[in-house]
PDB file of all heavy atoms in Angstrom:
ATOM      1  N   VAL A 100      -3.182  -6.620   6.142  1.00 98.00           N
ATOM      2  CA  VAL A 100      -3.298  -5.421   7.128  1.00 98.00           C
ATOM      3  C   VAL A 100      -2.617  -4.250   6.511  1.00 98.00           C
ATOM      4  O   VAL A 100      -1.725  -4.316   5.616  1.00 98.00           O
ATOM      5  CB  VAL A 100      -2.702  -5.852   8.397  1.00 98.00           C
ATOM      6  CG1 VAL A 100      -3.289  -7.162   9.005  1.00 98.00           C
ATOM      7  CG2 VAL A 100      -1.098  -5.970   8.421  1.00 98.00           C
ATOM      8  N   ASP A 112      19.538  -5.147  19.789  1.00 92.00           N
ATOM      9  CA  ASP A 112      20.012  -5.492  18.371  1.00 92.00           C
ATOM     10  C   ASP A 112      18.917  -6.391  17.711  1.00 92.00           C
ATOM     11  O   ASP A 112      18.661  -6.217  16.384  1.00 92.00           O
ATOM     12  CB  ASP A 112      21.390  -6.240  18.493  1.00 92.00           C
ATOM     13  CG  ASP A 112      22.380  -5.430  18.997  1.00 92.00           C
ATOM     14  OD1 ASP A 112      22.175  -4.187  19.042  1.00 92.00           O
ATOM     15  OD2 ASP A 112      23.469  -5.916  19.574  1.00 92.00           O
ATOM     16  N   ASP A 257      -6.831  16.877   8.953  1.00 87.00           N
ATOM     17  CA  ASP A 257      -5.554  16.585   8.113  1.00 87.00           C
ATOM     18  C   ASP A 257      -4.750  15.547   8.776  1.00 87.00           C
ATOM     19  O   ASP A 257      -3.491  15.381   8.398  1.00 87.00           O
ATOM     20  CB  ASP A 257      -4.695  17.983   8.214  1.00 87.00           C
ATOM     21  CG  ASP A 257      -5.260  19.003   7.235  1.00 87.00           C
ATOM     22  OD1 ASP A 257      -5.895  18.668   6.175  1.00 87.00           O
ATOM     23  OD2 ASP A 257      -5.342  20.210   7.690  1.00 87.00           O
ATOM     24  N   VAL A 418      12.067 -30.168   7.814  1.00 89.00           N
ATOM     25  CA  VAL A 418      10.783 -30.501   7.904  1.00 89.00           C
ATOM     26  C   VAL A 418      10.397 -31.767   7.240  1.00 89.00           C
ATOM     27  O   VAL A 418       9.645 -32.637   7.741  1.00 89.00           O
ATOM     28  CB  VAL A 418       9.657 -29.280   7.389  1.00 89.00           C
ATOM     29  CG1 VAL A 418       8.328 -29.707   7.501  1.00 89.00           C
ATOM     30  CG2 VAL A 418       9.934 -28.037   8.154  1.00 89.00           C
ATOM     31  N   TYR A 433      -2.042 -34.513   8.352  1.00 81.00           N
ATOM     32  CA  TYR A 433      -2.895 -33.306   8.178  1.00 81.00           C
ATOM     33  C   TYR A 433      -2.259 -32.029   8.096  1.00 81.00           C
ATOM     34  O   TYR A 433      -1.143 -31.902   8.755  1.00 81.00           O
ATOM     35  CB  TYR A 433      -4.046 -33.391   9.152  1.00 81.00           C
ATOM     36  CG  TYR A 433      -4.990 -34.692   8.968  1.00 81.00           C
ATOM     37  CD1 TYR A 433      -4.727 -35.681   9.815  1.00 81.00           C
ATOM     38  CD2 TYR A 433      -6.002 -34.590   8.184  1.00 81.00           C
ATOM     39  CE1 TYR A 433      -5.468 -36.906   9.707  1.00 81.00           C
ATOM     40  CE2 TYR A 433      -6.791 -35.790   7.815  1.00 81.00           C
ATOM     41  CZ  TYR A 433      -6.483 -37.013   8.772  1.00 81.00           C
ATOM     42  OH  TYR A 433      -7.306 -38.038   8.599  1.00 81.00           O
ATOM     43  N   LYS A 478      28.380 -29.916  17.499  1.00 92.00           N
ATOM     44  CA  LYS A 478      28.651 -30.708  18.890  1.00 92.00           C
ATOM     45  C   LYS A 478      27.470 -31.581  19.203  1.00 92.00           C
ATOM     46  O   LYS A 478      26.308 -31.334  18.940  1.00 92.00           O
ATOM     47  CB  LYS A 478      28.759 -29.833  20.012  1.00 92.00           C
ATOM     48  CG  LYS A 478      30.184 -29.182  20.172  1.00 92.00           C
ATOM     49  CD  LYS A 478      30.272 -28.584  21.558  1.00 92.00           C
ATOM     50  CE  LYS A 478      31.280 -27.437  21.488  1.00 92.00           C
ATOM     51  NZ  LYS A 478      30.967 -26.361  22.362  1.00 92.00           N
ATOM     52  N   SER A 483      22.270 -38.450  31.190  1.00 97.00           N
ATOM     53  CA  SER A 483      21.065 -39.193  31.735  1.00 97.00           C
ATOM     54  C   SER A 483      20.584 -38.617  33.026  1.00 97.00           C
ATOM     55  O   SER A 483      21.390 -38.033  33.804  1.00 97.00           O
ATOM     56  CB  SER A 483      21.523 -40.591  31.915  1.00 97.00           C
ATOM     57  OG  SER A 483      22.047 -41.180  30.702  1.00 97.00           O
ATOM     58  N   ALA A 493      13.493 -36.694  31.645  1.00 96.00           N
ATOM     59  CA  ALA A 493      13.883 -36.264  30.316  1.00 96.00           C
ATOM     60  C   ALA A 493      14.270 -34.822  30.535  1.00 96.00           C
ATOM     61  O   ALA A 493      15.360 -34.291  30.046  1.00 96.00           O
ATOM     62  CB  ALA A 493      12.836 -36.495  29.212  1.00 96.00           C
ATOM     63  N   THR A 526       2.663 -28.097  24.989  1.00 86.00           N
ATOM     64  CA  THR A 526       3.003 -26.681  25.260  1.00 86.00           C
ATOM     65  C   THR A 526       3.240 -26.472  26.777  1.00 86.00           C
ATOM     66  O   THR A 526       2.551 -27.000  27.540  1.00 86.00           O
ATOM     67  CB  THR A 526       1.788 -25.782  24.892  1.00 86.00           C
ATOM     68  OG1 THR A 526       1.274 -26.122  23.600  1.00 86.00           O
ATOM     69  CG2 THR A 526       2.030 -24.308  24.936  1.00 86.00           C
ATOM     70  N   LEU A 536       8.457 -16.341  32.443  1.00 78.00           N
ATOM     71  CA  LEU A 536       7.853 -17.479  31.922  1.00 78.00           C
ATOM     72  C   LEU A 536       8.083 -17.776  30.423  1.00 78.00           C
ATOM     73  O   LEU A 536       7.806 -16.973  29.582  1.00 78.00           O
ATOM     74  CB  LEU A 536       6.297 -17.552  32.154  1.00 78.00           C
ATOM     75  CG  LEU A 536       5.854 -17.755  33.529  1.00 78.00           C
ATOM     76  CD1 LEU A 536       4.305 -18.057  33.527  1.00 78.00           C
ATOM     77  CD2 LEU A 536       6.457 -19.055  34.156  1.00 78.00           C
ATOM     78  N   ALA A 551      10.054 -33.610  25.533  1.00 95.00           N
ATOM     79  CA  ALA A 551      11.468 -33.213  25.424  1.00 95.00           C
ATOM     80  C   ALA A 551      11.703 -32.134  24.382  1.00 95.00           C
ATOM     81  O   ALA A 551      12.403 -31.244  24.551  1.00 95.00           O
ATOM     82  CB  ALA A 551      12.268 -34.610  25.047  1.00 95.00           C
TER      83      ALA A 551
END
Side-chain angles (χ1 to χ4, degrees):
V100 303
D112 297 343
D257 287 323
V418 176
Y433 294 94
K478 281 198 205 138
S483 304
T526 308
L536 281 187

